[in-house]
Amino acid sequence: MEGAVYEIYAIKYAQHARMARENFIGGDIHDGPMPMDYFVWVVRNAQRTVLVDTGFDRAMAQTRGRTIVHPVEEGLARIGIAAAEVADVVVTHMHYDHAGNAALFPRARYHVQEREMAFCTGRCMCHQGLRHAFAAEDVKAMVDRLFEDRLRFRDPEDSLADGITLHRVGGHSDGLQILRVRTRRGWVVLASDAAHYFANLHRGLAYPIVYNVGDMFEGYATVRRLAESDAHIVPGHDPQVLSLYPPAEPGTEGWIVRVDLPPRGQPVI
C-alpha cells in the first residue's frame, strides 16, 4: 500500500450499565442489558502520534453516573505515550465523554470541525435537550485553546496527514467528524459516535441523542463508503470491540486492542 500506514489502538477508560432500549430510537423489542464502553483512540506510526478524543475524568464520571475503569492517562502510558507530550488531538465532537480531561494535554494542538464549535457555543445551547451532552467547562477550555493558538478548525472534508482524513458527518452532534486511517489491512474508519454500536449501523436505527436524524442516517452511509469493508468500521462505544480485536500486548485484554489488525470474528447484531 502506497503512503503512510498506521497502527490504531482503542483504549477503554470507562463503562456504563444500561439497557438496549436506551441505545435506539424506538427501543428494542428484545430489550435486555446492553452496556456502553467509553474509548479514546491512538493513531500512530514511527513519524506521528495522534490522539482521537480525550475522554472524561473521575469528577465527570461521578457527575454523570459513569465508572472509570482505567484513567485515560493510564491507558496511554501502557502503550508508551506520555499525555503531556501529545502533540495532536482530534476531537470528534464536543460531548463531555469525548472532550474532557482539559489539563492532561498542555502541549497539544486540537483539531475540531468549525461547525462543531459554532454549534456548542451557539443558540442551540439555549435548549436543555441539546446541551445536556456537553459540559460547559470543556467548551470553555476549547475557547481558551483558541486564544492560545492551540485550536485548528477543520473543513468538512480535510486531511490531517498522509493517510489520515477527517470527514464531517453531523447527526449526533452538528459538527461530528469521523476519521479514515490507512493501515496495512486497508482503510479503517473510526466512526466515533456516527455509530455508537455495530447494531446502530447494521440495523439502521438512530441513537437517541441526536441533533439531526437525517444526517445520522446519511452518516451511516458515509461511514460505509469510506471504509474498506464493514469489517474496517470501528464503532464508538460497543464493548464488542474489545473481544473482536487482538490486545495491544499481553496484559491489555479487555482494555487496549489493535483495531488496525483484522477482527477475530463477526459482531453480534
Side-chain angles (χ1 to χ4, degrees):
M1 178 173 289
E2 294 184 2
V5 296
Y6 298 86
E7 299 174 350
I8 313 175
Y9 298 79
I11 305 173
K12 176 180 174 178
Y13 69 92
Q15 61 192 23
H16 182 229
R18 56 202 287 129
M19 302 296 285
R21 64 178 175 268
E22 300 176 75
N23 298 324
F24 308 101
I25 289 180
D28 187 339
I29 60 173
H30 304 296
D31 194 29
M34 193 176 189
M36 175 172 284
D37 281 352
Y38 294 83
F39 297 92
V40 298
W41 300 269
V42 169
V43 177
R44 74 177 180 185
N45 61 16
Q47 290 75 42
R48 183 181 300 274
T49 296
V50 177
L51 176 64
V52 182
D53 291 339
T54 57
F56 54 78
D57 60 16
R58 292 192 186 278
M60 185 60 71
Q62 185 173 7
T63 298
R64 300 275 180 162
R66 273 53 176 167
T67 302
I68 298 282
V69 291
H70 294 283
V72 168
E73 62 270 30
E74 182 181 331
L76 293 174
R78 188 66 172 79
I79 58 172
I81 297 172
E85 300 301 315
V86 170
D88 287 287
V89 173
V90 173
V91 173
T92 61
H93 60 301
M94 288 293 295
H95 284 175
Y96 78 94
D97 53 322
H98 296 260
N101 284 309
L104 280 186
F105 309 103
R107 299 179 58 185
R109 294 176 297 270
Y110 284 71
H111 304 269
V112 180
Q113 286 282 319
E114 184 174 6
R115 190 158 171 172
E116 182 70 355
M117 282 300 293
F119 181 58
C120 71
T121 57
R123 66 190 303 151
C124 284
M125 296 301 101
C126 297
H127 306 292
Q128 173 60 24
L130 291 176
R131 72 170 180 253
H132 76 279
F134 296 89
E137 55 264 45
D138 298 337
V139 176
K140 293 175 191 175
M142 197 63 77
V143 173
D144 286 341
R145 295 182 192 111
L146 172 62
F147 283 87
E148 294 165 1
D149 198 28
R150 295 173 53 216
L151 175 58
R152 302 293 182 267
F153 289 122
R154 310 308 304 206
D155 293 328
E157 299 282 332
D158 213 337
S159 175
L160 184 69
D162 179 30
I164 305 174
T165 59
L166 308 176
H167 306 265
R168 180 259 169 196
V169 294
H172 177 61
S173 185
D174 196 36
L176 170 66
Q177 62 183 344
I178 61 177
L179 285 84
R180 186 182 192 226
V181 181
R182 188 190 293 120
T183 72
R184 294 197 183 281
R185 72 178 176 111
W187 287 101
V188 169
V189 170
L190 294 178
S192 184
D193 288 6
H196 283 66
Y197 294 88
F198 289 107
N200 290 111
L201 179 67
H202 290 278
R203 295 184 189 177
L205 296 173
Y207 186 76
I209 299 177
V210 57
Y211 175 63
N212 186 306
V213 174
D215 281 355
M216 182 173 281
F217 288 141
E218 288 297 323
Y220 295 165
T222 298
V223 166
R224 282 190 149 133
R225 174 176 58 82
L226 293 173
E228 201 92 1
S229 75
D230 281 0
H232 290 73
I233 298 168
V234 182
H237 290 278
D238 200 318
Q240 293 186 85
V241 168
L242 295 173
S243 58
L244 287 171
Y245 289 94
E249 55 188 63
T252 66
E253 295 83 359
W255 176 18
I256 307 172
V257 295
R258 287 272 303 276
V259 299
D260 59 297
L261 300 177
R264 301 179 291 187
Q266 299 292 325
V268 176
I269 307 301

